[in-house]
Amino acid sequence: MATNMIGSHKAPELSMTADDAAMIDHLPVEAATALARSLQRQERQVIARKVLSAARIGHTVYDEMLLSGHQTNVHTTGAVDKSATGKVSTTLGVSVPQATAWMTLSFLLSTLPTVTAAFLDGDHSLERIRIIANEIAVLSDDDVRAFAETRALQLAERNQADKTLRDQVIEMVIALDPDGAADRREEAAARDQNVRVRRDTNGHCSISVYAPGEMGAHLAARIAKMISERICPRDPRRQGQVQVAAFAEIQGLPGAQLSCECGRGDCSRAIPLPEEPSGLTELDIDPAATDLSGDVEVDADADMTDDPETITDGDADCDDADCAATDTVEAQPDADTDAQLSLSLITDPSGQREARLEYFGVVDDAHAAILISSGQLVTVTEFPTLDIPSISTTTSLDRIPAAWRRLDDPFPAAPIDPTGHGGYFFPPPRALTYRIPAWLREKIIELDGTCRYPHCGRPASECQIDHVVKFVHQDPITGGWTVEFNLMPLCTPDHQRKHMGLLIPTMLSDRAVIWRDPVTGETITTYPR
């Protein structure tokens, strides 16, 4: 089918009419769902053909330029590339960067037949195909690359965010070719490292930096730590504005200082005034340090409007006064805040996972060795294993790695425990206490990696820890317990969606979560990172 459509000179037409809006407005939800999915697939198929057709235009010019260059001496790579992308740009009325992106993707797909077929069939979005192609086309061995194609497309079928897919594919590529990953990292450093400051509109500029991952991770951690210490949830600014203010102070902009603007006299994060006049022209900064487990990555699209009373480590609909308590431990900061900041480098002694750097993601072995030898930049911890109870209500609790469910396993894992008791007959210590201990919170964050709601890629460190089966405060023994297999990270909006009952979760013994639509009965499965 794909070959015939590409070979035809007549563009496919949708058999829709001008009355579609009225017709769609009266469709039952089941029919609307089916129509939307069908059109989505058609849209992806059209996009695939558009990209490959556009690239064909450019490649034709490219070949012609190379042939004519032997006579005109105009056959440098830069001139040929510009001519090709320029032709696509003017022919289709798109920007040169867009034309370049299409041609680049087409070139990568030329070595990835399985991914190309999935692209043409409309199985995945353009962005997912681009992620897969960018990451696995670098594999030089044909057999290894073919294996990676199949695995990457299986990962793309999961109901997860694009950035989570990218992280997983990068991890797979590093595992398949660790030496090549290290070489490519060094080549990128020599070729692409740069800092660009560009003037923009409305009195602003854009700053882009291509630098080693640990530099970005450290900056993100500093900004997040500064915000957690000085800004309360009632601050009216968008989080992006707050992050820019923190960045300004970090880079030493004269007069820049991050402070809360909630306007409340009792703000717990306000920078206190000196008790006695000191003659100083600047305020002494003495912020209250907080637990970094809830720090957020730099995200200009996030907001600061969450009600502090709903941001807890547990169920969002709890009315008990104790529910608002968190496991945050207040500590007095040292004079040099940065001296306390050490990123976590998480390793897996079993060798089933690549090392991960906090606020960045997976790193190759050579990169991990560099980080470890760098001194105080990182603190090395081990990836946690599943804590399977010895006495259980289920029979298939094998120790399957939590972060990477076996893609070729034909048998799904079993539900861990519908009662929310995590497989235990008797409650272990703290299981009947609503508050989640810090060590258990950190373990859940590392096991799951991201928010467990479908298609959400919010890092688990930014999420609330939710009881899958609700904790019953009036009679804790009857409800869900505070144990590993009844806890999962959910970001604030998805936490609220879960408690509204839009989707009903069931956790499996490999920490996969099946979400069931109570209206249609359809299910969606999400997996640990």
Side-chain angles (χ1 to χ4, degrees), residues 148-198:
E149 282 189 86
T150 301
R151 286 295 188 261
L153 289 172
Q154 288 177 311
L155 290 171
E157 293 174 359
R158 293 182 171 181
N159 297 284
Q160 57 192 6
D162 289 344
K163 62 181 180 180
T164 304
L165 170 66
R166 184 174 183 271
D167 190 68
Q168 292 175 335
V169 175
I170 289 174
E171 181 178 20
M172 179 176 64
V173 170
I174 290 176
L176 292 173
D177 184 23
D179 293 338
D183 293 341
R184 289 188 291 273
R185 176 171 42 79
E186 294 177 358
E187 291 168 2
R191 181 184 65 244
D192 299 327
Q193 283 189 6
N194 203 352
V195 177
R196 293 184 176 91
V197 180
R198 294 188 178 92

Side-chain angles (χ1 to χ4, degrees), residues 93-415:
V94 299
S95 66
V96 171
Q98 180 66 79
T100 302
W102 289 347
M103 290 194 63
T104 300
L105 178 58
S106 175
F107 174 76
L108 296 175
L109 290 175
S110 65
T111 63
L112 304 171
T114 306
V115 176
T116 302
F119 188 30
L120 290 168
D121 286 342
D123 292 341
H124 304 291
S125 67
L126 172 62
E127 182 58 25
R128 293 210 165 195
I129 294 296
R130 181 181 297 139
I131 289 171
I132 293 172
N134 282 342
E135 301 304 334
I136 69 176
V138 300
L139 296 170
S140 57
D141 186 278
D142 292 343
D143 293 336
V144 173
R145 191 169 59 249
F147 172 83
E149 282 189 86
T150 301
R151 286 295 188 261
L153 289 172
Q154 288 177 311
L155 290 171
E157 293 174 359
R158 293 182 171 181
N159 297 284
Q160 57 192 6
D162 289 344
K163 62 181 180 180
T164 304
L165 170 66
R166 184 174 183 271
D167 190 68
Q168 292 175 335
V169 175
I170 289 174
E171 181 178 20
M172 179 176 64
V173 170
I174 290 176
L176 292 173
D177 184 23
D179 293 338
D183 293 341
R184 289 188 291 273
R185 176 171 42 79
E186 294 177 358
E187 291 168 2
R191 181 184 65 244
D192 299 327
Q193 283 189 6
N194 203 352
V195 177
R196 293 184 176 91
V197 180
R198 294 188 178 92
R199 179 182 176 182
D200 211 320
T201 58
N202 302 316
H204 279 67
C205 68
S206 62
I207 303 172
S208 62
V209 182
Y210 191 83
E214 57 269 25
M215 293 181 62
H218 190 264
L219 175 61
R222 287 189 66 186
I223 291 175
K225 180 176 175 62
M226 187 177 292
I227 291 174
S228 71
E229 291 176 344
R230 304 191 197 174
I231 305 298
C232 84
R234 295 185 178 90
D235 190 291
R237 293 170 291 179
R238 289 179 55 254
Q239 189 163 354
Q241 293 178 281
V242 178
Q243 291 162 348
V244 169
F247 179 63
E249 180 177 336
I250 288 173
Q251 71 161 342
L253 186 69
Q257 182 182 74
L258 179 67
S259 58
C260 189
E261 295 185 2
C262 69
R264 295 170 62 101
D266 60 347
C267 176
S268 61
R269 309 290 175 85
I271 300 175
L273 293 170
E275 294 183 1
E276 298 180 358
S278 61
L280 298 177
T281 58
E282 296 183 358
L283 297 179
D284 294 327
I285 299 176
D286 185 23
T290 58
D291 180 23
L292 289 181
S293 61
D295 284 349
V296 299
E297 68 178 2
V298 176
D299 180 1
D301 294 327
D303 59 56
M304 297 290 289
T305 59
D306 292 322
D307 186 332
E309 295 181 359
T310 67
I311 303 180
T312 70
D313 284 334
D315 301 306
D317 60 350
C318 174
D319 295 326
D320 195 303
D322 293 337
C323 299
T326 68
D327 293 300
T328 298
V329 179
E330 299 290 341
Q332 294 299 321
D334 296 333
D336 184 2
T337 302
D338 284 340
Q340 306 176 68
L341 187 57
S342 180
L343 300 172
S344 177
L345 180 68
I346 307 163
T347 62
D348 185 0
S350 70
Q352 296 178 351
R353 288 180 55 95
E354 303 303 313
R356 304 189 66 86
L357 177 63
E358 182 184 18
Y359 284 95
F360 177 71
V362 64
V363 297
D364 59 80
D365 289 343
H367 197 176
I370 292 173
L371 295 174
I372 293 172
S373 64
S374 63
Q376 298 180 345
L377 177 61
V378 299
T379 299
V380 180
T381 59
E382 292 184 358
F383 184 80
T385 58
L386 289 177
D387 184 18
I388 305 295
S390 56
I391 300 177
S392 168
T393 59
T394 62
T395 59
S396 58
L397 298 178
D398 299 326
R399 287 185 177 273
I400 300 173
W404 193 274
R405 185 170 186 249
R406 293 175 294 183
L407 294 173
D408 53 359
D409 187 354
F411 302 104

Side-chain angles (χ1 to χ4, degrees), residues 27 203 226 287 321 418 438 502:
L27 284 178
M226 187 177 292
L502 300 181

Side-chain angles (χ1 to χ4, degrees), residues 12 95 99 191 228 241 330 412 420 448 485-487 491 498 524:
S95 66
R191 181 184 65 244
S228 71
Q241 293 178 281
E330 299 290 341
D448 287 356
F485 274 101
N486 192 45
L487 298 172
C491 67
K498 183 253 189 181
I524 298 174

